[in-house]
Amino acid sequence: MAQKWVYFFGNGQADGEAGMRELLGGKGANLAEMTRLGIPVPAGFTITTEACTFYYQNNGQWPEGLEEQVWENMAKVEAIMGGRFGDPADPLLVSVRSGARVSMPGMMDTILNLGLNDETVQGLIRKTNNPRFAYDSYRRFVQMYGDVVLGVPRADFERLIDEVKERKGVHYDTELSADDWKYLVERFKALIQERTGQPFPNDPREQLRGAINAVFRSWNNPRAIRYRQLHEIPDWWGTAVNVQSMVFGNLGDTSGTGVAFTRDPATGENKVFGEYLINAQGEDVVAGIRTPQPLETLAQQMPEVYQQLMDIFKRLESYYKDMQDCEFTIQDGRLFMLQTRNGKRTAQAAVRIAVEMVQEGVIDKKTALMRIEPAQLDQLLHPTLDPKAKIEVLTKGLPASPGAAVGRAVFTAEDAEAWAERGEKVILVRAETSPEDIGGMHAAQGILTSRGGMTSHAAVVARGMGKCCVAGAGEILVDEERKQFTCKGVVIREGDWITLNGSTGDVIVGQVPLVEPELSGSFGLLMEWADEIRTLGVRANADTPQDARVARNFGAQGIGLCRTEHMFFGEGRIQAVREMIVAPDEESRKRALAKLLPMQRGDFYEIFKVMAGLPVTIRLLDPPLHEFLPHEQEQIAALAREMGISEEALAAKVESLKEFNPMLGHRGVRLGITFPEIYEMQVQAIFEAACQLAKEGQQVVPEVMIPLVGIPGELKAMKDATIRVAEQVMAREGVRLEYKIGTMIEVPRAAVIADEIAKDAEFFSFGTNDLTQMTFGFSRDDAGKFLPSYIEKGILEKDPFQTLDKGGVGQLIKLGVEKGRRTRPDLKVGICGEHGGDPESIKFCHEAGLDYVSCSPYRVPIARLAAAQAAIARPGERAGFATV
Ligand code: PEP
Ligand code: MG
């Protein structure tokens, strides 16, 4: 028997179910499930994703059995819906839609009203008694089929419609008559014949075969490919094809179509949120051409249908235990559900819905935690408009996707991408967006449209991207050609600054100042739950008191990396650093360092104070010294004048510090070995600051960290020097402090001989930026030239500087942890490279038994959630949380 390629659904029975999304796509699996739940769904069938992959692997061939199964299932649909496919007396019409495992809104193709031709349209007229409707449906079909299957651009059909409207002196499609549409069908067909050299296919069976192939092919159209890249969806998944009997929302005033979310997708409020249009087809709602009505008004217009809808939403939510995004059509007062899926939502809504569903007893805390994509929290961690700022609102649109966006107005997706490439912040302003604009939407800070509702393309896609969006700001007039918009007499031209508030819909002229976000309400609660479950500690990389404050507010349990070199820049400092570098002997170097000492002490004092009671790991100087000197001849001359030394002498110094490979050169602990007085000054500053705070009654937990160690002797020398200076300071100040000395593990050799290194280290912190660089032999600064090709060609799956390379660098980490703890069982181990803020890498760190991760302050909540998810997935790993 041939493989099963086609799955039926209709009249309460279905071959598939919700759990089969890999095979049937999300849409197909959910149509089957809704049918099983007894919800009214027009009958139809789903062609599997396996059929699509077969098609791609076999040069566009259909697998054996597919064709027969399509017609067998069509017969079942006919039996339920009445009418016959292709029957002029009583035609059954179908829609053909794509549906991948995950929803990709608007990215692939749909064809409606399939089955119409010159004969069957007569049957439709008799059935509906509505020739205008029948010819309008027919022309929509020819137009969509011509565009999607036969490749004749949609705009060319629109031009023919405009010609007819102009000739008749009318503005709207609704003013055209049955005869006009009939005439246009002929013109459309002639256009297709002219462009493709083939007549339009009249045979419904041929139409269906063509449409199925086109949906298969649409998996690989450029915008679907781009969407998959942006969302990391594998190319090999393929799409399923859903063939479903048509129901019509455009049969008159007792018909309509709409979309609804069972909760508010922007804020998460537990309130049905929907829109609909009377006398319209689904594409009219989503395209944003007519602005739809809020669902509440349906309660008056069609109270029974409204009630039935509300009941269905309740049932769907309690079945799927998640917020649903549904499409429905009302045909002559009768309700049909066309789709349900877990709704896309903003991060704000995701958090609120998950937390409230726990409070409602629908899901448990672990499910709530697993439901939030850690990276998505990033949206909640960005600044919002300063409530104290004086703003003048130019106009208001719909608050389609929350957050704040400040940028310069641009009017095409290409411009948005080009400007963003140059480092400009832009806001994409369009009358409405279409799937082609996806790249520009991604590049923009925010999106503003003048047309469309909360479920328009712009709104749905922006929410999916977590991007601020104000949609349907009807008072603005967008002039794409002149690249400007006008509103109440104000003209905003390309490049002018505007600000959007996606939470209120405000459009503001100019740049509004922003304020830091807070972890409160549902978000705060979710973080508490994450902390209850995780065993991995979370610290932050912070070099300034300001960063430390942000980190602490976001729940960091300490500082895992304070890069002291960042304190060497700035007024009064860089001069002293340069004096130290050019100093001809130890004496003058010490004089320069003496100038730096009070500044460093002041910095450490502030940071310790902010982090009072929590550990602070301070790394001694790491970068090569040439980074602090100018390299241009002119700048060298100016600096020489400023320092009162000869230009030649300074130039010679710069030359002598030049290295062929500075990242593998005179840096890290090597500086400490050759210029011990630099590290001594830093240690002195750390302990003087710590002693002062201790005297003021604050608890200080300093941890001194030596970078780039690869040889035990390097660490031993620095450890001895650190202890000597620390003890001197404490003796002088009469204070006794607990402190730790440890090392970064950044050189592969250090990981390999970690047992020896651990003899002199009380903690390890994996510097995975350098460790990745040295393990691959990829220069951190030059990899950008070739890594993208590696990823494109599939040689590497991911950028190893972003997501930890488990197979190589990860093995060194495991080895280092294991050997280090063999020597010192209580060795504390963390990670402070960029990977410390990447959810997938955090999961690895949990499994490798690390005590903590350290990441940038803004990623701390992401790391807390990722650590909780790792603990849920793999409980029982080393519990380091309590002792971070
Ligand atoms: C590292 O190498 O991972 C690290 C944290 O140090 P830096 O990035 O400063 O070299
Ligand atoms: Mg490093």
Side-chain angles (χ1 to χ4, degrees), residues 48-366:
T48 65
T49 52
E50 284 173 355
C52 179
T53 41
F54 184 99
Y55 174 89
Y56 276 110
Q57 283 160 4
N58 295 278
N59 295 324
Q61 293 293 309
W62 283 19
E64 198 191 315
L66 174 57
E67 170 107 29
E68 294 75 29
Q69 292 177 27
V70 163
W71 303 126
E72 274 162 34
N73 281 280
M74 184 65 91
K76 286 191 184 174
V77 176
E78 290 168 344
I80 289 175
M81 299 303 289
R84 302 251 316 274
F85 186 63
D87 181 356
D90 188 7
L92 172 75
L93 304 184
V94 296
S95 66
V96 183
R97 292 183 161 95
S98 62
R101 288 191 201 186
V102 293
S103 98
M104 299 168 53
M107 292 302 128
M108 292 181 292
D109 294 324
T110 289
I111 296 157
L112 304 178
N113 305 323
L114 189 136
L116 280 173
N117 56 28
D118 291 344
E119 289 81 47
T120 54
V121 74
Q122 297 306 326
L124 188 63
I125 293 172
R126 273 192 301 278
K127 219 160 120 171
T128 58
N129 226 345
N130 190 339
R132 187 186 179 284
F133 157 76
Y135 279 109
D136 183 20
S137 303
Y138 192 11
R139 72 89 191 174
R140 283 175 194 250
F141 166 56
V142 177
Q143 190 173 343
M144 271 193 203
Y145 199 94
D147 172 18
V148 171
V149 184
L150 306 172
V152 181
R154 192 186 159 97
D156 295 353
F157 295 106
E158 293 293 339
R159 209 164 296 130
L160 293 177
I161 300 178
D162 287 343
E163 262 175 44
V164 174
K165 284 201 271 194
E166 204 165 302
R167 182 153 43 80
K168 298 198 62 174
V170 299
H171 280 294
Y172 299 106
D173 287 4
T174 45
E175 293 169 285
L176 296 181
S177 66
D179 281 341
D180 295 329
W181 291 127
K182 187 175 174 186
Y183 166 75
L184 275 164
V185 167
E186 291 315 311
R187 292 289 307 268
F188 286 178
K189 286 185 171 176
L191 177 71
I192 288 168
Q193 167 92 48
E194 180 195 311
R195 291 292 167 82
T196 65
Q198 304 281 337
F200 184 82
N202 267 323
D203 173 8
R205 289 190 165 224
E206 190 186 336
Q207 292 173 359
L208 183 58
R209 279 189 289 263
I212 292 170
N213 283 332
V215 173
F216 284 158
R217 283 198 304 270
S218 75
W219 175 253
N220 270 345
N221 74 33
R223 54 177 203 270
I225 291 173
R226 179 105 176 88
Y227 188 92
R228 289 204 295 273
Q229 282 165 353
L230 289 175
H231 293 81
E232 294 189 12
I233 297 171
D235 290 337
W236 57 266
W237 277 5
T239 180
V241 184
N242 297 291
V243 179
Q244 191 175 18
S245 42
M246 286 292 301
V247 284
F248 295 99
N250 52 348
L251 283 184
D253 289 343
T254 52
S255 300
T257 187
V259 294
F261 292 85
T262 54
R263 301 188 186 212
D264 188 320
T267 66
E269 190 186 350
N270 187 2
K271 199 172 136 219
V272 170
F273 177 88
E275 292 174 331
Y276 70 104
L277 281 169
I278 287 292
N279 198 8
Q281 281 202 336
E283 50 167 348
D284 301 332
V285 181
V286 183
I289 294 161
R290 278 162 65 189
T291 297
Q293 289 170 265
L295 195 60
E296 289 75 38
T297 60
L298 189 68
Q300 285 100 54
Q301 255 176 325
M302 299 184 197
E304 273 164 38
V305 170
Y306 181 79
Q307 202 42 55
Q308 195 188 353
L309 257 180
M310 294 301 126
D311 292 344
I312 289 173
F313 293 157
K314 269 215 187 76
R315 270 165 67 198
L316 287 174
E317 249 205 18
S318 66
Y319 178 79
Y320 286 100
K321 300 191 188 313
D322 199 357
M323 181 261 267
Q324 296 297 295
D325 163 4
C326 310
E327 283 177 23
F328 61 89
T329 283
I330 306 158
Q331 174 173 296
D332 260 342
R334 207 173 139 204
L335 177 67
F336 292 94
M337 299 305 290
L338 301 186
Q339 160 152 311
T340 191
R341 59 185 171 195
N342 291 341
K344 289 207 185 298
R345 63 204 79 179
T346 62
Q348 188 190 340
V351 170
R352 180 166 171 183
I353 291 169
V355 167
E356 290 188 356
M357 284 195 161
V358 172
Q359 291 164 336
E360 292 159 20
V362 179
I363 56 174
D364 62 12
K365 285 184 190 175
K366 285 185 182 170

Side-chain angles (χ1 to χ4, degrees), residues 374-416:
Q376 209 190 3
L377 293 182
D378 192 40
Q379 292 169 35
L380 302 179
L381 301 173
H382 285 301
T384 49
L385 293 188
D386 182 353
K388 290 200 286 292
K390 268 208 157 50
I391 56 164
E392 238 175 84
V393 176
L394 174 68
T395 183
K396 244 179 161 29
L398 300 167
S401 183
V406 182
R408 309 174 74 172
V410 292
F411 293 84
T412 67
E414 295 79 54
D415 286 341

Side-chain angles (χ1 to χ4, degrees), residues 563 619 622 663 667 707-708 744 746 767-771 774 780:
R563 292 176 163 107
R619 176 179 75 184
D622 180 55
M663 287 307 257
R667 59 173 287 222
L708 222 72
M744 296 190 72
E746 302 176 279
T768 42
N769 301 335
D770 275 310
L771 192 58
M774 292 190 226
R780 280 161 77 170

